[in-house]
Amino acid sequence: WTTGSIDPRFESKKFEMKYNPGLILNFKESTFGVKAILGNGRESLGITYKSDNYASSLLYPDRIHYLNMGYGFNNIKDTTSTRKYSTILGAELSAHTHIGSAVLDISSSFERKDENNSNDIRSSKIYNIRSKYIEDTYNLHVLWQVPKAYSHQLITVKGQYVNGYDGHVEFAPDLSRINYSVQFLEANMGYLYTRNQHKPWNYDLGVVAEYFYIDRNDFASTLSVSNAYLRIAPTFRLRYDRFHMDNIQLSFNPAYQKNLNNNLEYSTNSLNNFIQGVVFWDYDYYSTNAYQLSWSAKWTTKRISSQYWTGIRLTYDYHKNLDNSNSDALSSFKSNASLRHFTIGLFINL
């Protein structure tokens, strides 16, 4: 682990570009669209040293970092760096239509990312592809709006599914045998009622239900971790607007996170600092029930400048764990652990 203040120092350079050529068809009450998702990316990960003694000598074992690409392939990080070359292909479909006074918007997309990983040896200009990572992402978004004279109702449905896996190309060029796999699913449904009467004070009421699932498998380390939980979050927001000169928003958002199921499998021979200090803590965090609370206050005004909105924003987030880990072999996640986060900011809208 390093903070970047002492040798060795982690170095990361990443560039990714996406473009979406498409076709839009407009009809009397509806609009349909189809787009392609095209992109390329390049990333370089490495370790840098400010001290030449640490960079060129092997006399300091605590300053040496290693690169593990699976199946026993390791390199000392002071002599190598990792390069990733990615290609992105996909498509997106969308529709917008009016049904009476209601408005329906639907969009869905599929995106595949192929990433080639290589070890960049300083003494060689040939980049050998050591492993490949493939990630498929599916997205769905549905928005149903019912506008009225003094109110607005919205129903949203969102979903995302990610399936990723990688393998060593020298052992399995077609990735019939993989080294790592991950599956991620997040789905939520929400309702929001907004009152917009010609009065200084108005309000918003809503609720969101979210389902979260993640499954990760490191076959080289015989490690398997999965978590699933359900989260319910109501929304209460009070809005004040006086002659379009002062605007105040007060928001209160409690939430409850209910754990559904978990699974953890590992070999005692593969335990290391990363598994004990990161994987176990993540597993315990997602496997416990929790209560969350978010307060926010925002004030904007044009009294300072008639052309620009200026204001201040305050937020307070609170997270409280309601139980502890069910296994003594894990990270001993603290019972009733809590987290508080407070922010304050000034801003101007140009």
Side-chain angles (χ1 to χ4, degrees), residues 163-182:
N163 180 38
Y165 55 93
D166 74 352
H168 205 293
V169 297
E170 295 185 0
F171 291 92
D174 59 350
L175 297 188
S176 58
R177 297 179 61 186
I178 59 177
N179 182 51
Y180 174 81
S181 70
V182 58

Side-chain angles (χ1 to χ4, degrees), residues 70-299:
Y71 294 100
F73 177 73
N74 299 297
N75 273 340
I76 298 177
K77 285 294 290 180
D78 64 342
T79 59
T80 64
S81 62
T82 305
R83 292 198 177 189
K84 300 181 179 182
Y85 305 91
S86 59
T87 301
I88 301 172
L89 294 174
E92 178 181 346
L93 299 176
S94 62
H96 171 86
T97 186
H98 293 264
I99 304 176
S101 61
V103 181
L104 177 63
D105 290 280
I106 302 176
S107 65
S108 62
S109 65
F110 167 76
E111 183 177 310
R112 164 162 284 200
K113 180 179 182 179
D114 291 345
E115 186 176 84
N116 293 324
N117 302 323
S118 68
N119 60 304
D120 178 14
I121 304 177
R122 296 176 182 177
S123 60
S124 175
K125 295 184 179 180
I126 300 177
Y127 305 127
N128 297 319
I129 303 300
R130 309 293 302 196
S131 65
K132 289 185 177 181
Y133 175 71
I134 298 178
E135 182 179 271
D136 296 331
T137 303
Y138 303 83
N139 290 293
L140 175 65
H141 184 199
V142 180
L143 174 62
W144 176 265
Q145 304 180 65
V146 183
K148 293 185 179 181
Y150 300 107
S151 66
H152 205 101
Q153 299 185 71
L154 298 92
I155 297 177
T156 59
V157 177
K158 296 181 182 179
Q160 183 182 66
Y161 174 73
V162 178
N163 180 38
Y165 55 93
D166 74 352
H168 205 293
V169 297
E170 295 185 0
F171 291 92
D174 59 350
L175 297 188
S176 58
R177 297 179 61 186
I178 59 177
N179 182 51
Y180 174 81
S181 70
V182 58
Q183 291 183 331
F184 169 80
L185 174 63
E186 184 176 17
N188 65 69
M189 181 176 182
Y191 170 80
L192 180 65
Y193 173 84
T194 300
R195 193 186 75 166
N196 294 315
Q197 295 186 356
H198 298 300
K199 296 180 179 180
W201 290 97
N202 284 285
Y203 61 86
D204 303 331
L205 298 175
V207 63
V208 175
E210 176 187 3
Y211 173 78
F212 175 91
Y213 170 79
I214 187 169
D215 177 73
R216 292 159 289 182
N217 296 275
D218 187 342
F219 299 102
S221 301
T222 62
L223 175 67
S224 176
V225 183
S226 65
N227 296 100
Y229 69 78
L230 180 66
R231 185 173 182 268
I232 305 295
T235 299
F236 306 95
R237 187 182 301 113
L238 191 62
R239 295 177 284 111
Y240 174 83
D241 189 1
R242 187 68 173 175
F243 304 122
H244 300 291
M245 294 294 294
D246 292 287
N247 185 283
I248 300 175
Q249 293 188 17
L250 303 175
S251 179
F252 173 69
N253 302 307
Y256 176 71
Q257 179 176 307
K258 173 62 177 178
N259 174 258
L260 298 179
N261 57 74
N262 315 280
N263 180 61
L264 176 64
E265 299 177 5
Y266 62 93
S267 172
T268 56
N269 295 328
S270 63
L271 289 180
N272 52 41
N273 291 334
F274 175 77
I275 294 177
Q276 293 176 317
V278 178
V279 176
F280 285 175
W281 277 87
D282 285 347
Y283 175 83
D284 282 353
Y285 174 79
Y286 288 123
S287 63
T288 55
N289 301 319
Y291 171 75
Q292 302 166 359
L293 178 63
S294 176
W295 289 86
S296 67
K298 179 181 178 182
W299 171 64

